[in-house]
Amino acid sequence: MRWLPAAFVAAVLLLEPLTPTPWPVSFMLIALPVTAAFTLGPVSVAAVTVGAVVLEGVIAGTPCCTGRNIHQLWEGHHIAAYIATTLVGILGVALAAHRQRQERHLVRAHSVAEALMRTLLRPVPHQVGRVLAAGLYRSGEVGTMVGGDLYDIRATESGERAIIGDVRGKGLKAVRTVAGILGAFREAVHDQGDLRAVALRMERSVLREAEDVRDDELFVTAALVEYDAEARQVTIVNHGHVEPVLISRGEVRALAGPPALPLGLSRLCGERPVAYRHPVGPGDVLLLCTDGLVEARDHTGAFYPLLDRLRARFADGPAPCPSDVIDFLNTDLPHHTRAVHDDVAILALAPADGG
């Protein structure tokens, strides 16, 4: 948009010789400083203002149209135009300075928010205990990392435990809930021997958060996973979340199981969550994702076909590692949708050293 002032001047110069003399098209230059204030800094706007006044004088005293002569340079209405342009220029300088201050403030705010999100969603290590891992996060808020999706993985005495979740809402409003959920998870995975007990601790955390913010509709969908290297199996507790996907020996399938209500909605049903188990062998990859991935739409409104895309990529090839799956989805998703309007979190896990 920095070309806008130049385009404005070009339009005035083009119209001036094409219009009748009584039509003082050069008066349009009064708006030039404000136009420049949208894209240029205060010093540049001041220079544009001086240039606009000079150009008004040149046009006023140039016989480019019938009846125009040098004496019109100092006519009252032209002098009024010079004064008006100068006053508008002063306003433009003030607007440009204010815009730059606001831009710096936004940059600082975004930097702080992204630093906070990086602290909450720490980079996924290549290996956690006996599990290889890789992760991806994309915020639905354009130009920022702040969002309402979350993931984490921890090595504990009970095995490697991971979580992926989606807080109701997105952006800064969801960050507080994300912090509470991750804090509860990181503490509970080391204290609780049973994965369902971890889920109950997180349920209480969401209920406390809902009470603090006075939001009776606050909830979090989440899937918790525990890997048992000795038994070569994963235990899953699914609280209304997208089903995990297993890539195993060229096959891709969703690991369906008994779901539970999202975290924070236990008051609607007194049943405890049910854990279910699936075997995981050497070369298998377990994929956890949020609905921002599977609900991404193309130009026709069709959802992203996650299982079909994974089959097309990994069905006939060698066993992938978690980073291969993440890299593929990171490049394939933009081919399906031009813009991601919801937060996307993806976590890929695989047994280390062949299980």
Side-chain angles (χ1 to χ4, degrees), residues 205-219:
S205 174
V206 176
L207 290 175
R208 287 194 299 269
E209 178 68 16
E211 183 178 353
D212 290 343
V213 300
R214 298 181 180 180
D215 184 358
D216 294 335
E217 297 181 355
L218 178 64
F219 64 85

Side-chain angles (χ1 to χ4, degrees), residues 47-326:
V48 168
T49 302
V50 173
V53 173
V54 172
L55 187 57
E56 286 173 342
V58 170
I59 294 177
T62 301
C64 58
C65 297
T66 304
R68 190 71 56 82
N69 59 70
I70 192 66
H71 300 291
Q72 291 180 330
L73 179 64
W74 303 111
E75 289 185 352
H77 60 285
H78 284 296
I79 294 177
Y82 308 151
I83 296 174
T85 304
T86 302
L87 294 177
V88 172
I90 295 173
L91 175 62
V93 170
L95 289 175
H98 178 71
R99 176 181 57 80
Q100 286 190 337
R101 286 194 299 270
Q102 291 296 103
E103 288 176 350
R104 288 193 293 267
H105 174 74
L106 288 175
V107 169
R108 287 195 297 268
H110 286 163
S111 298
V112 171
E114 290 182 4
L116 172 62
M117 207 63 189
R118 289 192 181 98
T119 301
L120 294 176
L121 295 182
R122 300 166 187 170
V124 178
H126 172 69
Q127 183 169 348
V128 180
R130 293 162 292 183
V131 169
L132 300 178
L136 172 67
Y137 182 86
R138 285 188 176 186
S139 173
E141 297 284 341
V142 178
T144 179
M145 286 184 60
V146 177
D149 286 6
L150 58 99
Y151 58 71
D152 198 10
I153 179 171
R154 298 281 156 168
T156 72
E157 294 181 356
S158 301
E160 289 69 34
R161 289 174 166 177
I163 181 177
I164 192 161
D166 186 357
V167 176
R168 174 182 171 269
K170 59 183 179 180
L172 291 172
K173 293 182 179 179
V175 172
R176 175 172 171 172
T177 305
V178 169
I181 283 290
L182 289 176
F185 172 78
R186 290 164 180 167
E187 180 180 355
V189 290
H190 294 286
D191 296 341
Q192 304 295 333
D194 185 79
L195 196 61
R196 292 174 298 177
V198 176
L200 290 175
R201 286 275 292 273
M202 297 172 61
E203 170 75 22
R204 290 194 291 269
S205 174
V206 176
L207 290 175
R208 287 194 299 269
E209 178 68 16
E211 183 178 353
D212 290 343
V213 300
R214 298 181 180 180
D215 184 358
D216 294 335
E217 297 181 355
L218 178 64
F219 64 85
V220 180
T221 66
L224 287 84
V225 175
E226 177 183 286
Y227 173 64
D228 187 340
E230 300 298 330
R232 291 192 175 182
Q233 67 178 13
V234 290
T235 302
I236 302 171
V237 175
N238 191 335
H239 281 272
H241 198 72
V242 179
E243 294 175 341
V245 174
L246 183 65
I247 305 173
S248 177
R249 299 176 181 85
E251 296 184 1
V252 178
R253 59 191 176 96
L255 300 184
L261 288 175
L263 299 171
L265 300 182
S266 61
R267 58 186 177 277
L268 302 179
C269 178
E271 296 182 0
R272 290 172 57 89
V274 178
Y276 58 101
R277 296 172 176 82
H278 283 276
V280 175
D284 292 352
V285 175
L286 183 66
L287 181 69
L288 309 173
C289 68
T290 57
D291 58 6
L293 176 63
V294 296
E295 293 181 0
R297 297 176 182 266
D298 63 10
H299 65 281
T300 66
F303 291 125
Y304 180 70
L306 176 61
L307 298 182
D308 292 340
R309 297 302 299 146
L310 291 175
R311 291 187 183 108
R313 173 62 180 85
F314 298 111
D316 299 324
C321 64
S323 59
D324 293 333
V325 178
I326 294 297

